[in-house]
């Protein structure tokens, strides 16, 4: 033995590890690295670190969701311990398993930047109450599977590249009270099925440009609770339905910059709570009905 050089000693019972033990150890390390990497990516998103996450081909979502055999999921694999401005908000169920209630993914230098598409697997998040991917460069469409999210109350895809049609399946989200699609890339028509949403108070599809068709009269039901309705800057045509007067709680009605025609419905005079009316840049004709709307005449400028 050379003086001054230390060499480790082996216990008397030590034997070189067999091939099976080496393989098991290697697999354990690989699994640990994959799990730690995925959790770290989610944690960075939750903490608001800058970065880019890809949802294309559902690559991220399997790491976010812990699915069960019966499909009753919505649990989160890496729930943060503190609420941040960008990321998931979780609660713990009676079974002790955390689940997502809010998924707010804000962009910017302190937020997470998303690419790819909204995956269909989002329908498994049955306890999700709020989905906010506004101002994200996501593309693709709004998944029809969102109709399976029975707890969903708010959807915000404003200022994103999410397009396609508005899924009629959203009518199954009985708790939905806010649908904000302003400056997205929606096409097709406004589904009449949205009239089934008895809690819908805010509907904004402004500036989708290729949203066409008519304003469905059945959108306005007898028990309508709409407070804000914004349909501006699209390609909507036909008349403004007189049934809009059923929404007596309306404070904002904006249908300007479309291709609407016909007469302004006299029933608008029944909207006593209305403070904003925008109907300009259409082919509508007539006068504002009722003294209650006299102060809104400048909206027709």
């Amino acid at each position: 033995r050379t003086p001054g050089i230390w060499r480790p000693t082996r216990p008397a019972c030590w034997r070189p590890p067999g091939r099976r033990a080496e393989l098991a150890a290697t697999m354990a390390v690989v699994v640990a690295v994959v799990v730690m990497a995925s959790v770290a990516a989610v944690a960075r998103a939750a903490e608001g670190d800058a970065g880019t996450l890809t949802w294309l081909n559902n690559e991220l979502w399997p790491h976010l969701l812990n699915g069960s055999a019966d499909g009753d999921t919505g649990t989160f694999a890496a729930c943060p311990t503190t609420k941040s401005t960008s990321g998931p908000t979780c609660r713990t169920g009676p079974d002790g398993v955390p689940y997502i209630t809010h998924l707010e993914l804000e962009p910017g230098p302190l937020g997470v930047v998303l690419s790819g598409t909204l995956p269909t697997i989002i329908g498994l998040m049955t306890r999700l109450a709020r989905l906010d991917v506004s101002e994200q460069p996501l593309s693709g469409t709004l998944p029809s599977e969102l109709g399976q999210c029975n707890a969903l109350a708010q959807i915000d895809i404003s200022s994103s590249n999410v397009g396609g049609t508005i899924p009629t399946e959203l009518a199954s989200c009985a708790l939905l009270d806010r649908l904000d699609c302003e400056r997205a890339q929606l096409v097709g028509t406004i589904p009449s099925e949205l009239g089934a949403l008895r809690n819908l108070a805010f509907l904004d599809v402004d500036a989708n440009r290729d949203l066409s068709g008519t304003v469905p009269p059945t959108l306005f039901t007898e028990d309508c609770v709409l407070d804000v309705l914004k349909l501006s800057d699209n390609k909507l045509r036909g008349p403004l339905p007189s049934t809009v007067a059923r929404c007596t709680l309306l404070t904002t009605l904006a249908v300007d910059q479309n291709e609407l025609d016909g007469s302004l419905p006299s029933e608008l005079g029944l909207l006593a709570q209305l403070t904003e009316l925008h109907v300009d840049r259409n082919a509508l004709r007539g006068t504002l009905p009722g003294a209650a709307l006299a102060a809104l005449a400048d909206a027709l400028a």
Side-chain angles (χ1 to χ4, degrees):
R1 175 179 300 186
T2 305
I5 298 178
W6 178 86
R7 289 183 172 85
T9 59
R10 298 173 179 172
C13 61
W14 181 88
R15 287 182 174 82
R19 179 62 180 171
R20 181 177 299 177
E22 288 181 354
L23 182 60
T26 302
M27 290 297 295
V29 170
V30 170
V31 170
V33 169
V34 170
V35 171
M36 289 176 65
S38 63
V39 169
V42 173
R44 286 197 300 272
E47 293 170 1
D49 289 347
T52 300
L53 299 180
T54 300
W55 285 1
L56 190 61
N57 299 324
N58 296 348
E59 290 177 1
L60 176 65
W61 285 83
H63 300 301
L64 299 185
L65 297 170
N66 286 326
S68 62
D70 60 4
D72 181 16
T73 73
T75 57
F76 195 64
C79 281
T81 56
T82 57
K83 179 69 176 75
S84 64
T85 58
S86 182
T89 301
C90 302
R91 291 182 180 177
T92 301
D95 54 1
V97 178
Y99 59 88
I100 298 177
T101 60
H102 294 64
L103 191 55
E104 300 169 89
L105 300 169
E106 300 175 3
L110 297 179
V112 58
V113 179
L114 300 173
S115 61
T117 62
L118 280 169
T120 58
I121 199 173
I122 198 172
L124 298 178
M125 301 171 69
T126 55
R127 298 175 180 177
L128 183 67
R130 176 175 171 81
L131 173 65
D132 184 352
V133 292
S134 57
E135 301 183 37
Q136 291 284 0
L138 288 171
S139 56
T141 63
L142 264 179
S144 60
E145 286 77 7
L146 281 171
Q148 302 171 26
C149 301
N150 298 327
L152 197 57
Q154 298 184 5
I155 299 175
D156 191 344
I157 60 168
S158 60
S159 300
S160 72
N161 292 324
V162 176
T165 59
I166 301 174
T168 58
E169 289 81 0
L170 291 183
S172 300
C173 301
L175 300 180
L176 192 65
D177 61 42
R178 184 182 181 92
L179 179 57
D180 191 347
C181 306
E182 180 186 11
R183 299 186 184 282
Q185 304 296 320
L186 296 176
V187 299
T189 62
I190 299 174
S192 59
E193 288 83 356
L194 295 185
L197 296 171
R198 298 295 187 259
N199 292 295
L200 189 62
F202 184 99
L203 176 59
D204 187 348
V205 294
D206 275 1
N208 278 270
R209 304 298 174 88
D210 288 324
L211 198 63
S212 58
T214 61
V215 180
T218 53
L219 186 63
F220 314 111
T221 58
E222 294 291 349
D223 50 359
C224 174
V225 296
L226 274 172
D227 172 44
V228 174
L229 178 62
K230 295 184 175 183
L231 311 178
S232 304
D233 199 6
N234 289 296
K235 295 179 180 178
L236 300 175
R237 62 183 186 276
L240 179 61
S242 60
T243 52
V244 69
R246 294 173 177 173
C247 303
T248 56
L249 301 178
L250 266 180
T251 61
T252 300
L253 175 59
V255 295
D256 52 298
Q257 302 181 68
N258 279 290
E259 300 170 12
L260 299 178
D261 55 26
S263 300
L264 285 168
S266 60
E267 289 82 359
L268 288 178
L270 301 176
L271 299 176
Q273 305 297 320
L274 199 62
T275 57
E276 287 189 43
L277 175 63
H278 303 276
V279 295
D280 53 299
R281 282 175 277 187
N282 283 291
L284 292 168
R285 60 184 183 275
T287 58
L288 287 172
L293 295 178
L296 297 172
D298 58 342
L300 294 174

